[in-house]
Amino acid sequence: MLNRICELLEIEVPVLEGGLAYVGNGLLAAAVSNGGGFGQVGSAGRTPENFENEILVASEATNNPFGVNIPISQHTDFSPYLEIIKKHRELIKAVSLGAGNPKNLVPYLKDNGLLVLILTSTAIHSVKAEKLGADVIVCEGYEAGGSNGPSELTTFTLVPQVKQAVSIPVIAAGGIVDGRSMAAALILGADGVQMGTRFVATEECEAHTHFKEEILAAKDDSTMIMTRMLKGPLRVLKNEYAEQVYESEKITPTLENVLPRVRGTYNKLAMLDGDLKGGFMSCGQVASLIEEIDSAETVVKRIAGEARRILAKAQALF
Ligand SMILES: Cc1cc2nc3c(=O)[nH]c(=O)nc-3n(C[C@H](O)[C@H](O)[C@H](O)COP(=O)(O)O)c2cc1C
């Protein structure tokens, strides 16, 4: 399955782990990379010290390339994280940037010899990201867990439009969970896929067991959108906490009312500490298709293998 994203990132199969706030730990990133994919250490929800430590953990646990993720607006000051990336630039292959304007960060990262992946949710923003010097576009549809783009485009419609609009490699994210969805994304024109929710339900992910069990128990309608009125829809698992935020946002749709309820501490409480009533859990629509907690290495190999077999049989479909 050698294609241009594999060549660029020096990986065996075009399967990326997306940044995962609070739960994108070093061992998980290493396991994804050991499976031949591209793991990423998350920075959201981590102190700079903890972020650095997880980079070191990942580099100890794999000899394969991996990256890191910076969701720009989730850091009040991202300069310490940039310093750490610079310090360990020999260990890191690429940096993915999302949730904010990446304009000033791209030259800094490229000057340090890093590849830059920019997350987008529309074709227009993908064109802008290419002009800024991105090496790869990761376009994420509205099926995805966590922050969604305000335009709420689905992966199915987004990928072909982004593919048509840019010439750099395009990674599809949102709604990808198995060989079928990976094959579909490649047929739509993606050069590779990124998954988030699937990698939470793995042995190496440091998410709390309660959160992983909620993913296994999820049905097709188990996720919902919060904070749509803030123009930053957030896809989460339905629970009492999320329903309360949603109801409150309907009655008082102001930043002052909603923002304090969706602070990272409440995300951490449910996803990392396992207090399912005390907070909210980012989760994609694919959750209901996840049936077991596997090793992330196995997940990558299995999904890529399934996709290959499906693509080989595709001409017999009609
Ligand atoms: C628990 C969780 C945390 C996430 N945190 C981040 C993050 O910190 N930065 C980011 O760029 N994307 C984040 N995402 C989005 C993922 O990187 C990925 O693009 C998305 O999950 C893909 O859709 P899927 O959930 O259908 O696989 C998160 C997703 C989940 C499920």
Side-chain angles (χ1 to χ4, degrees):
M1 215 182 246
L2 258 192
N3 67 5
R4 57 186 186 149
I5 197 72
C6 291
E7 281 172 20
L8 189 67
L9 295 176
E10 296 182 69
I11 52 177
E12 282 166 36
V13 293
V15 176
L16 280 65
E17 174 209 348
L20 296 173
Y22 294 97
V23 297
N25 50 314
L27 279 183
L28 173 59
V32 172
S33 293
N34 284 334
F38 192 74
Q40 296 194 69
V41 174
S43 66
R46 295 189 187 282
T47 60
E49 296 71 29
N50 185 241
F51 176 56
E52 179 170 26
N53 187 49
E54 294 302 314
I55 291 171
L56 296 174
V57 167
S59 78
E60 281 285 306
T62 186
N63 292 321
N64 294 341
F66 68 91
V68 299
N69 170 254
I70 305 271
I72 298 165
S73 63
Q74 292 191 19
H75 295 290
T76 35
D77 176 15
F78 48 73
S79 48
Y81 299 87
L82 293 182
E83 280 304 313
I84 291 163
I85 291 170
K86 184 176 178 177
K87 182 172 162 195
H88 295 296
R89 65 188 163 193
E90 303 300 328
L91 304 178
I92 300 164
K93 181 85 187 163
V95 179
S96 63
L97 302 172
N101 188 346
K103 192 174 170 190
N104 298 329
L105 299 187
V106 178
Y108 176 88
L109 296 170
K110 300 205 81 158
D111 287 349
N112 280 292
L114 294 151
L115 293 169
V116 178
L117 284 55
I118 296 187
L119 281 126
T120 66
S121 53
T122 63
I124 293 166
H125 283 110
S126 305
V127 171
K128 284 188 185 159
E130 183 175 38
K131 283 193 184 136
L132 285 181
D135 297 288
V136 176
I137 299 293
V138 180
C139 64
E140 192 191 67
Y142 161 80
E143 300 89 329
S147 296
N148 287 174
S151 303
E152 302 189 4
L153 298 177
T154 61
T155 302
F156 208 87
T157 54
L158 180 63
V159 172
Q161 296 187 69
V162 172
K163 187 69 189 179
Q164 232 165 272
V166 301
S167 59
I168 54 177
V170 173
I171 300 293
I176 294 143
V177 72
D178 53 20
R180 292 173 295 186
S181 37
M182 175 170 175
L186 296 179
I187 299 247
L188 286 175
D191 297 276
V193 297
Q194 168 167 303
M195 298 187 292
T197 304
R198 184 62 192 88
F199 285 127
V200 175
T202 58
E203 288 158 9
E204 297 83 357
C205 179
E206 68 181 350
H208 197 281
T209 318
H210 291 167
F211 177 23
K212 294 182 188 179
E213 282 166 358
E214 288 295 294
I215 293 179
L216 296 190
K219 303 281 174 252
D220 55 1
D221 65 347
S222 291
T223 69
M224 60 181 280
I225 295 284
M226 294 190 324
T227 63
R228 183 175 266 129
M229 45 82 43
L230 302 182
K231 301 225 180 311
L234 194 60
R235 185 171 293 285
V236 296
L237 272 174
K238 278 183 190 161
N239 69 353
E240 222 176 286
Y241 190 91
E243 303 272 13
Q244 274 170 11
V245 173
Y246 178 73
E247 288 307 320
S248 165
E249 136 191 10
K250 272 201 304 195
I251 298 163
T252 317
T254 62
L255 286 176
E256 293 73 25
N257 172 41
V258 181
L259 270 186
R261 297 169 196 269
V262 293
R263 282 198 206 298
T265 38
Y266 299 111
N267 204 198
K268 174 181 177 289
L269 207 56
M271 299 204 308
L272 205 53
D273 303 341
D275 178 358
L276 300 185
K277 290 201 167 149
F280 59 97
M281 294 160 275
S282 301
C283 181
Q285 290 180 332
V286 292
S288 67
L289 289 163
I290 302 172
E291 279 161 6
E292 53 193 328
I293 309 288
D294 304 293
S295 118
E297 188 173 337
T298 308
V299 168
V300 173
K301 288 181 178 161
R302 188 176 61 224
I303 289 177
E306 276 173 17
R308 235 186 228 130
R309 283 191 293 280
I310 290 166
L311 291 170
K313 287 195 291 190
Q315 59 184 4
L317 287 177
F318 83 101

